[in-house]
Amino acid sequence: MTKEPPQNIGSFDVIVSNPPYITDAEMLELDKSVREFEPYSALCGGEDGLDFYRAICENWLGVLKEGGVLAFECGINQSLSLEKLLSEFGLKSIQTTRDTTGANRVVSCIK
């Protein structure tokens, strides 16, 4: 799980992450070629797939400058849940961007 930043790491204008976001239920249905190729910890984001997003917000927002941008890749059906989560952390200007297939894939916001 995402830990607190090292002491004296400084501050950032932008934090970008593609954390593990597959739900526990989806892990059971993953194709064998994916499930057996990638480490479990690189794929599974917990019951709702948002565990790492929560941990990043809880632990890393302190090093994101005011007005800084936080951007995440997310699962195809997770953008609305992620937008709500970011709002709960007080983040602003939350927007979702579609990928080249038209799927909601990147959620970004401003601190």
Side-chain angles (χ1 to χ4, degrees), residues 4-103:
E4 290 183 18
Q7 243 180 356
N8 301 320
I9 194 170
S11 58
F12 298 89
D13 295 311
V14 178
I15 296 176
V16 177
S17 179
N18 178 12
Y21 54 74
I22 298 173
T23 67
D24 290 341
E26 291 168 334
M27 287 296 293
L28 300 173
E29 300 171 3
L30 262 183
D31 186 86
K32 185 178 176 179
S33 65
V34 175
R35 188 178 60 244
E36 292 182 2
F37 177 73
E38 294 287 341
Y40 181 86
S41 62
L43 299 171
C44 188
E47 184 176 343
D48 64 357
L50 301 177
D51 286 357
F52 282 87
Y53 301 99
R54 281 187 203 89
I56 290 167
C57 288
E58 289 168 358
N59 296 309
W60 285 80
L61 285 182
V63 297
L64 183 63
K65 293 178 183 176
E66 289 299 320
V69 174
L70 178 62
F72 291 112
E73 179 178 353
C74 64
I76 292 171
N77 298 314
Q78 291 176 319
S79 62
L80 292 177
S81 296
L82 182 52
E83 287 175 8
K84 182 176 185 267
L85 175 73
L86 296 173
S87 177
E88 290 169 359
F89 276 93
L91 296 158
K92 306 292 182 204
S93 301
I94 301 167
Q95 64 181 27
T96 297
T97 304
R98 297 179 186 272
D99 66 13
T100 56
T101 69

